[in-house]
Coordinates of all heavy atoms in Angstrom, one line a residue:
P9 N -221.2 185.4 6.9 CA -221.3 186.7 7.5 C -221.9 186.5 8.9 O -222.9 185.7 9.0 CB -222.2 187.5 6.6 CG -222.2 186.8 5.3 CD -221.8 185.4 5.6
G10 N -221.4 187.1 9.9 CA -222.0 187.0 11.2 C -221.7 185.7 12.0 O -222.2 185.5 13.1
A11 N -220.8 184.9 11.5 CA -220.5 183.6 12.2 C -219.7 183.9 13.5 O -219.7 183.1 14.4 CB -219.7 182.7 11.3
G12 N -219.1 185.1 13.5 CA -218.3 185.4 14.7 C -216.8 185.4 14.4 O -216.0 185.4 15.3
K13 N -216.4 185.5 13.1 CA -215.0 185.4 12.8 C -214.2 186.5 13.4 O -213.2 186.2 14.0 CB -214.9 185.5 11.2 CG -215.6 184.4 10.5 CD -215.4 184.5 9.0 CE -216.0 185.8 8.3 NZ -217.4 185.9 8.4
G14 N -214.7 187.7 13.3 CA -214.0 188.9 13.9 C -213.9 188.8 15.4 O -212.8 189.0 16.0
T15 N -215.0 188.4 16.0 CA -215.0 188.3 17.5 C -214.0 187.3 18.0 O -213.3 187.5 18.9 CB -216.5 187.9 17.9 OG1 -217.4 188.9 17.5 CG2 -216.6 187.7 19.4
T31 N -209.9 191.4 5.9 CA -209.9 192.2 4.6 C -211.1 193.2 4.7 O -211.0 194.3 4.2 CB -210.1 191.3 3.4 OG1 -211.0 190.2 3.7 CG2 -208.7 190.7 3.0
G32 N -212.2 192.8 5.4 CA -213.3 193.7 5.5 C -212.9 194.9 6.3 O -213.2 196.1 5.9
F35 N -210.7 197.2 4.1 CA -211.5 198.0 3.2 C -212.3 199.1 3.9 O -212.4 200.2 3.4 CB -212.5 197.1 2.4 CG -211.9 196.1 1.4 CD1 -212.2 194.8 1.4 CD2 -211.0 196.6 0.5 CE1 -211.6 193.9 0.5 CE2 -210.4 195.7 -0.4 CZ -210.7 194.4 -0.4
R36 N -212.8 198.8 5.1 CA -213.6 199.8 5.8 C -212.6 201.0 6.3 O -213.0 202.1 6.3 CB -214.3 199.2 7.1 CG -215.6 198.5 6.7 CD -216.3 198.0 7.9 NE -215.7 196.8 8.5 CZ -215.9 195.6 8.1 NH1 -216.7 195.3 7.1 NH2 -215.2 194.6 8.7
L53 N -219.0 197.4 -0.8 CA -219.2 196.9 0.5 C -220.6 197.1 1.0 O -221.3 196.2 1.6 CB -218.2 197.5 1.5 CG -217.0 196.6 1.8 CD1 -215.9 196.9 0.7 CD2 -216.4 196.9 3.1
D57 N -221.5 193.0 -2.1 CA -220.9 192.3 -3.2 C -219.4 192.1 -2.8 O -218.9 192.7 -1.9 CB -221.0 193.1 -4.5 CG -222.4 193.0 -5.0 OD1 -222.9 191.9 -5.0 OD2 -222.9 194.0 -5.5
L58 N -218.7 191.2 -3.6 CA -217.3 191.0 -3.4 C -216.5 192.1 -4.2 O -216.8 192.4 -5.3 CB -216.9 189.6 -3.9 CG -217.4 188.4 -3.1 CD1 -216.8 187.1 -3.7 CD2 -217.1 188.6 -1.6
V59 N -215.4 192.5 -3.5 CA -214.5 193.4 -4.1 C -213.7 192.6 -5.2 O -213.4 191.4 -5.0 CB -213.5 194.0 -3.1 CG1 -212.4 194.8 -3.7 CG2 -214.3 194.8 -2.1
T64 N -208.4 192.9 -4.1 CA -208.4 192.1 -2.8 C -207.0 191.4 -2.6 O -206.4 191.5 -1.5 CB -209.5 191.1 -2.8 OG1 -210.7 191.8 -3.1 CG2 -209.6 190.4 -1.4
G85 N -211.9 186.4 6.6 CA -212.6 186.9 5.5 C -211.9 186.8 4.2 O -212.3 187.4 3.2
F86 N -210.7 186.2 4.2 CA -210.0 186.0 3.0 C -209.3 184.6 3.1 O -208.7 184.3 4.1 CB -208.9 187.0 2.8 CG -208.1 186.8 1.5 CD1 -208.4 187.4 0.3 CD2 -207.0 186.0 1.5 CE1 -207.7 187.2 -0.8 CE2 -206.2 185.8 0.4 CZ -206.6 186.4 -0.8
R88 N -212.2 184.2 -0.2 CA -213.6 184.0 -0.3 C -214.1 183.4 -1.6 O -215.3 183.3 -1.8 CB -214.2 185.4 -0.2 CG -214.7 185.9 1.2 CD -215.0 187.3 1.0 NE -216.2 187.7 1.8 CZ -216.1 188.2 3.0 NH1 -214.9 188.4 3.6 NH2 -217.2 188.5 3.7
Q92 N -209.3 183.4 -5.2 CA -208.5 184.0 -4.1 C -207.7 182.9 -3.3 O -206.5 183.2 -2.9 CB -209.4 184.7 -3.1 CG -210.1 185.9 -3.6 CD -210.9 186.7 -2.6 OE1 -211.0 186.3 -1.4 NE2 -211.7 187.7 -3.0
R118 N -227.5 187.6 14.9 CA -226.2 188.2 15.3 C -226.0 189.5 14.5 O -225.6 190.5 15.0 CB -225.1 187.3 15.1 CG -225.0 186.2 16.1 CD -223.8 185.3 16.0 NE -223.9 184.2 16.9 CZ -223.1 183.2 16.9 NH1 -222.1 183.1 16.0 NH2 -223.2 182.2 17.8
L119 N -226.3 189.5 13.2 CA -226.0 190.6 12.3 C -226.9 191.8 12.6 O -226.5 193.0 12.6 CB -226.0 190.3 10.8 CG -224.8 189.4 10.4 CD1 -224.9 189.1 8.9 CD2 -223.4 190.1 10.7
R122 N -225.8 193.7 15.6 CA -224.4 194.1 15.8 C -224.3 195.6 15.8 O -225.0 196.3 15.0 CB -223.6 193.5 14.6 CG -222.1 194.1 14.6 CD -221.2 193.3 13.8 NE -221.6 193.3 12.4 CZ -221.0 192.5 11.4 NH1 -220.0 191.8 11.8 NH2 -221.4 192.5 10.2
I131 N -216.3 195.2 18.2 CA -217.6 194.6 17.8 C -218.5 194.4 19.1 O -218.0 193.8 20.0 CB -217.4 193.3 17.1 CG1 -216.4 193.4 15.9 CG2 -218.7 192.7 16.7 CD1 -215.9 192.1 15.4
Y132 N -219.7 194.8 19.0 CA -220.7 194.6 20.1 C -221.9 194.0 19.5 O -222.1 193.9 18.3 CB -221.1 196.0 20.7 CG -220.0 196.7 21.4 CD1 -219.1 197.6 20.7 CD2 -219.7 196.5 22.7 CE1 -218.1 198.3 21.3 CE2 -218.7 197.2 23.4 CZ -217.9 198.1 22.6 OH -216.9 198.8 23.3
H133 N -222.8 193.5 20.4 CA -224.1 193.1 20.0 C -225.1 193.6 21.1 O -224.8 193.5 22.3 CB -224.2 191.5 20.0 CG -225.5 191.0 19.3 ND1 -226.6 191.0 20.0 CD2 -225.7 190.6 18.1 CE1 -227.6 190.5 19.2 NE2 -227.1 190.3 18.0
Y136 N -226.0 190.2 23.0 CA -225.1 189.2 23.4 C -223.7 189.8 23.9 O -223.0 189.1 24.6 CB -224.8 188.2 22.3 CG -226.0 187.6 21.7 CD1 -226.2 187.6 20.3 CD2 -227.0 187.1 22.5 CE1 -227.4 187.0 19.8 CE2 -228.2 186.5 22.0 CZ -228.3 186.5 20.6 OH -229.5 186.0 20.1
R155 N -223.1 198.8 10.7 CA -222.5 198.8 9.4 C -223.5 198.9 8.3 O -224.6 198.3 8.4 CB -221.7 197.4 9.3 CG -220.3 197.5 9.8 CD -219.6 196.1 9.8 NE -219.7 195.3 8.7 CZ -219.2 194.1 8.5 NH1 -218.3 193.6 9.5 NH2 -219.4 193.3 7.5
R166 N -225.4 189.2 1.2 CA -224.1 188.6 1.6 C -224.2 187.1 1.9 O -223.3 186.4 1.6 CB -223.6 189.3 2.9 CG -223.1 190.8 2.6 CD -223.2 191.6 3.8 NE -222.3 191.2 4.8 CZ -222.5 191.4 6.1 NH1 -223.6 192.1 6.5 NH2 -221.7 191.0 7.0
G194 N -222.5 178.4 19.9 CA -222.5 178.7 21.4 C -222.1 180.2 21.7 O -222.1 181.0 20.8
T195 N -221.8 180.4 23.0 CA -221.4 181.8 23.4 C -220.0 182.0 22.8 O -219.3 181.1 22.5 CB -221.3 181.9 24.9 OG1 -220.3 181.0 25.4 CG2 -222.7 181.5 25.6
P196 N -219.6 183.3 22.8 CA -218.2 183.6 22.3 C -217.2 182.8 23.1 O -216.2 182.3 22.5 CB -218.1 185.1 22.5 CG -219.5 185.6 22.4 CD -220.4 184.5 23.0
Ligands
AP5_1 P1 -216.3 191.2 6.3 O1 -216.1 192.4 7.1 O2 -215.4 190.1 6.2 O3 -217.8 190.7 6.6 P2 -218.4 189.2 6.7 O4 -217.5 188.1 6.2 O5 -219.7 189.4 6.0 O6 -218.4 188.9 8.1 P3 -218.8 189.8 9.3 O7 -217.7 190.7 9.6 O8 -220.2 190.4 9.0 O9 -219.1 188.7 10.4 P4 -218.1 188.0 11.5 O10 -218.1 186.6 11.1 O11 -216.8 188.7 11.6 O12 -218.9 188.2 12.8 P5 -218.7 189.2 14.1 O13 -217.6 188.7 14.9 O14 -218.7 190.6 13.7 O15 -216.5 191.7 4.7 C1 -217.3 192.8 4.5 C2 -217.3 193.1 3.0 O16 -216.0 193.5 2.6 C3 -217.7 192.0 2.1 O17 -219.1 191.9 1.9 C4 -217.0 192.4 0.8 O18 -217.7 193.5 0.1 C5 -215.7 193.0 1.3 N1 -214.7 191.9 1.4 C6 -214.1 191.5 2.5 N2 -213.2 190.5 2.3 C7 -213.3 190.3 0.9 C8 -212.7 189.3 0.1 N3 -211.8 188.4 0.5 N4 -213.0 189.4 -1.3 C9 -213.8 190.3 -1.8 N5 -214.5 191.2 -1.0 C10 -214.2 191.2 0.4 O19 -220.0 188.9 14.9 C11 -221.3 189.3 14.4 C12 -222.2 189.7 15.5 O20 -222.5 188.6 16.4 C13 -221.6 190.8 16.5 O21 -222.6 191.6 16.9 C14 -221.0 189.9 17.7 O22 -221.0 190.6 18.8 C15 -222.0 188.8 17.7 N6 -221.4 187.5 18.1 C16 -220.2 187.0 17.6 N7 -220.0 185.8 18.1 C17 -221.1 185.5 18.9 C18 -221.4 184.4 19.7 N8 -220.7 183.3 19.7 N9 -222.6 184.4 20.3 C19 -223.4 185.5 20.3 N10 -223.1 186.6 19.5 C20 -222.0 186.6 18.9

Side-chain angles (χ1 to χ4, degrees):
K13 302 181 295 296
T15 301
T31 39
F35 290 133
R36 281 185 287 276
L53 264 85
D57 285 316
L58 292 184
V59 172
T64 307
F86 181 92
R88 266 171 142 94
Q92 290 184 8
R118 287 184 185 174
L119 289 180
R122 174 164 59 187
I131 306 165
Y132 297 87
H133 189 282
Y136 307 133
R155 273 173 40 180
R166 285 158 63 209
T195 64

